[in-house]
Amino acid sequence: MNRIRTALQKMCRALPGGWATMAAALGMSVDGLENRIYERKGQEPSIDLAMQMQKASGLTAFAEAVAAESGGVFVPVDGDDMENSEDLMALYMKLAADVGRLAQEWQAATADGEICKREAVELDNIRQEICRTATRFNALSLRLFRREQ
C-alpha cells in the first residue's frame, strides 16, 4: 500500500466518527471520499483535498508521506515548546542516543553479510528519526540563540 493512501486513511480514522466525520467536514459523502482515496471510478485525491484532510484531522500524515515518498522527512518546528537550553540539551542527547542506536542496528543487520527487508525498514526508520531530530535541533537552536545583526 502506498504511503499517501495510508496517510489519508490514518487522517480519516483520527477523527471521532472516522470516515463519516471526515466526509462531512469535506462536504462529501463517505462513498465519494472512499472513491477518491481508493482511486475508484477514475477519481483520485487532489493535493487540496489531502491538505483539507490534514487540517481537519490535526495530523501531519500527508506532509510526512510526501516527504518520505520524496526520500526525505517532514519536520514540524513551528509551535514547538522548547524554551531553554536545558530542553535543547535533552533533544541533543536524544539525537546522540539515536545515532548510537543506528550504529548498533547497523552492526547487527550486517553481521551476516546482508541486510534483509525487515532490517532495511528498521535502519530507515532510525535514519528518519535522526533527520527529524537533527533538523529540529538546528531550528530550535536558531530560535533560542540567534542574534540579529
Side-chain angles (χ1 to χ4, degrees):
M1 185 176 278
N2 80 38
R3 291 175 179 153
I4 303 289
R5 180 177 296 147
T6 300
L8 298 176
Q9 293 167 336
K10 180 180 180 179
M11 291 186 296
C12 288
R13 291 189 305 267
L15 292 175
W19 287 75
T21 304
M22 181 62 80
L26 298 170
M28 62 177 64
S29 68
V30 173
D31 286 340
L33 179 59
E34 288 178 348
N35 286 343
R36 284 170 182 81
I37 291 176
Y38 294 108
E39 300 180 12
R40 298 179 190 144
K41 301 179 182 179
Q43 297 182 52
E44 57 186 37
S46 67
I47 292 172
D48 184 57
L49 177 72
M51 292 299 293
Q52 289 177 37
M53 291 174 69
Q54 185 166 269
K55 185 174 184 176
S57 70
L59 302 178
T60 57
F62 176 64
E64 292 168 20
V66 169
E69 287 289 323
S70 304
V73 294
F74 173 72
V75 183
V77 292
D78 288 341
D80 206 300
D81 59 353
M82 292 276 168
E83 295 183 10
N84 57 49
S85 58
E86 289 82 22
D87 292 339
L88 195 59
M89 183 54 72
L91 186 60
Y92 180 77
M93 295 308 293
K94 179 192 179 316
L95 177 59
D98 288 344
V99 170
R101 192 168 118 236
L102 177 63
Q104 289 176 333
E105 289 293 328
W106 181 86
Q107 190 173 29
T110 59
D112 61 359
E114 60 186 43
I115 297 175
C116 71
K117 184 175 182 176
R118 182 195 56 76
E119 292 166 333
V121 167
E122 180 60 18
L123 290 170
D124 192 58
N125 288 339
I126 297 168
R127 175 196 65 83
Q128 289 184 37
E129 183 62 22
I130 288 169
C131 288
R132 279 190 291 273
T133 304
T135 301
R136 186 169 170 234
F137 177 81
N138 284 344
L140 294 171
S141 292
L142 290 174
R143 183 182 303 161
L144 287 172
F145 295 107
R146 188 176 198 168
R147 192 171 18 166
E148 295 300 322
Q149 304 202 26

